Amino acid sequence: MDHYDVIVLGVGSMGAAACNALADRGVSVLGLDTYTPGHAHGAHHGGTRIIRQSYFEDAAYVPLLRSSYAGFRRLEEESGRDLMTLCGGIYVGDPGSTTFAGSLAAAQEHGLDHEVLTAEQVHERFPSMTPAPDALALYEAAAGYVRPEETVVANAEVAARKGATLRFGEPVTWWGATPGGGVEVVTPQGRYGADRLVVSPGPWAPEVLADLQLPLSIERMVFHWFTPDTSTVPYERWSDAHHPVYIEQTHGNHQIYGFPMTDGPDGGFKLGFFRVGSPTTAATIDRVVREEENDRMLERARELFPLLGRPVVEAKTCLYSVTPDEHFVVGQHPGHPQVSVACGFSGHGFKFVPVIGEILADLATTGTTDHPVELFDPRRPVLAG
């Protein structure tokens, strides 16, 4: 049986980053995954993910984001790939909304550069947008988007170059702690042993981490690319050269998020609902996007972008793994300290990929980390029931 210092189960968003961080430390690491890097079966496809610092979810995330930004730039240098584009970000809502007020609170608490704009100022600067008259917006220049598939591939490539052994097309059928304090992992191709295990299973967490009985909700989400009216507002004003990423929720309407046109004039204008999904599993998700889903999205989108229209350039599904408090699950397995887990990223985790990789490497090598991870404790009451 081949033996490694650390085995990483799941070489997706967080697992590939963990493999990279572990290999960088000279650790003997094996990564195992059912699929190939950048696949479309989980939660890391679709071309773009927002990255931002004025974090309305909780200001405690901001130090992690600063580390993550540095990690993306480092990965760009190591891989030679373009991964992060800072085109700015704008968060629009009524004055009491979490989207606006929470972003403002995080920016103020951490001294982040930002501007507060009225609805009229938003429209003047970004003519694609027509917010509600009483809406306010926080704009930050240090926001934009990252390329998820490229990031996963980059981490896998760099990890392999540093000495990691990565096996794709090799699903794990069983894993367990061994009496001596190590772990054993079984696949159709063989058995592997290690001193430590990192489990980063994405939307397969309910099955792979069944013993933890985590109250995760696996949700089918849809994102859409619509056609903007470029005769009224020219293409350049919809593109990432002049348009920010955005999040908007005003007077209790469903929160939406999205991106400028990042792939040329034929690529469409991408957006989606946040947390308006339907329960599913990774094995049973319905991948067909129906016309009524496009209709519903377009009707809501036009509340902010009245110049959006048809045809629908593209629509895709993805999977969210959502915890009851929407904070992540990152830490040591409560029953097996030689096992670290990372899951439940609740639709806002990808921007943290580099720093989560570092945290998982810390936990697998020293059992602790200097990064602030108290929010993510697998033993917190909301997860324990």
Side-chain angles (χ1 to χ4, degrees):
M1 181 171 63
D2 292 339
H3 190 90
Y4 297 84
D5 295 329
V6 183
I7 294 175
V8 177
L9 194 167
V11 189
S13 304
M14 307 307 175
C19 288
N20 186 4
L22 286 162
D24 191 60
R25 301 177 191 198
V27 172
S28 170
V29 57
L30 168 67
L32 296 166
D33 202 287
T34 303
Y35 302 103
T36 55
H39 65 80
H41 301 282
H44 63 238
H45 60 286
T48 49
R49 293 291 185 274
I50 289 176
I51 190 164
R52 54 193 168 89
Q53 294 187 29
S54 298
Y55 218 62
F56 60 77
E57 289 86 344
D58 196 309
Y61 284 87
V62 174
L64 293 171
L65 284 161
R66 285 172 164 156
S67 296
S68 202
Y69 271 60
F72 273 112
R73 290 304 187 207
R74 185 167 56 251
L75 183 58
E76 285 183 320
E77 292 174 4
E78 290 182 320
S79 67
R81 294 175 179 268
D82 293 328
L83 304 176
M84 183 168 67
T85 300
L86 299 184
C87 58
I90 193 165
Y91 322 122
V92 182
D94 55 272
S97 66
T98 299
T99 302
F100 169 74
S103 299
L104 180 61
Q108 292 175 334
E109 179 175 338
H110 290 279
L112 303 174
D113 288 339
H114 67 281
E115 300 175 66
V116 173
L117 305 176
T118 65
E120 184 177 357
Q121 289 170 324
V122 170
H123 182 69
E124 182 179 352
R125 188 177 301 189
F126 307 112
S128 66
M129 298 184 184
T130 305
D134 63 335
L136 294 174
L138 183 139
Y139 175 79
E140 62 173 346
Y145 62 90
V146 292
R147 295 288 191 179
E149 295 96 335
E150 287 282 297
T151 298
V152 176
V153 171
N155 268 316
E157 287 178 344
V158 174
R161 194 163 68 233
K162 293 175 181 175
T165 299
L166 304 181
R167 299 185 185 276
F168 300 102
E170 189 166 348
V172 171
T173 56
W174 181 87
W175 70 267
T178 57
V183 296
E184 186 175 334
V185 173
V186 178
T187 77
Q189 283 73 34
R191 293 176 176 267
Y192 307 97
D195 300 325
R196 301 289 183 95
L197 177 68
V198 172
V199 183
S200 54
W204 292 269
E207 295 79 28
V208 177
L209 293 170
D211 62 318
L212 287 183
Q213 297 184 313
L214 295 171
L216 292 177
S217 171
I218 308 302
E219 300 179 1
R220 172 188 179 272
M221 305 298 297
V222 183
F223 37 87
H224 315 249
W225 287 259
F226 292 105
T227 303
D229 178 358
T230 55
S231 63
T232 303
V233 174
Y235 158 72
E236 289 75 17
R237 301 304 297 271
W238 297 91
S239 77
D240 56 6
H242 297 284
H243 200 292
V245 298
Y246 56 88
I247 304 171
E248 185 259 337
Q249 184 177 33
T250 308
H251 300 304
N253 58 6
H254 287 307
Q255 188 182 64
I256 60 172
Y257 71 97
F259 305 82
M261 298 179 75
T262 61
D263 297 304
D266 299 322
F269 188 77
K270 178 186 173 185
L271 74 163
F273 287 114
F274 184 71
R275 292 299 316 281
V276 182
S278 54
T280 187
T281 71
T284 62
I285 179 174
D286 179 3
R287 295 289 185 182
V288 177
V289 179
R290 290 162 179 79
E291 199 59 30
E292 55 265 29
E293 293 179 290
N294 291 324
D295 292 342
R296 182 187 183 196
M297 184 76 258
L298 184 57
E299 180 181 8
R300 169 64 182 90
R302 282 176 169 163
E303 294 178 17
L304 181 62
F305 298 101
L307 298 178
L308 278 187
R310 294 186 181 278
V312 178
V313 177
E314 194 172 10
K316 293 183 178 181
T317 62
C318 73
L319 290 160
Y320 281 10
S321 304
V322 184
T323 64
D325 58 8
E326 299 185 17
H327 296 310
F328 313 152
V329 180
V330 181
Q332 290 179 304
H333 189 294
H336 307 296
Q338 70 271 48
V339 178
S340 301
V341 300
C343 61
F345 288 96
S346 300
H348 65 111
F350 198 89
K351 59 184 70 65
F352 297 90
V353 159
V355 71
I356 296 296
E358 291 290 331
I359 290 166
L360 292 172
D362 290 343
L363 294 174
T365 53
T366 69
T368 187
T369 182
D370 291 333
H371 290 288
V373 294
E374 294 78 9
L375 275 177
F376 314 143
D377 191 339
R379 299 162 297 182
R380 64 188 187 268
V382 72
L383 298 184

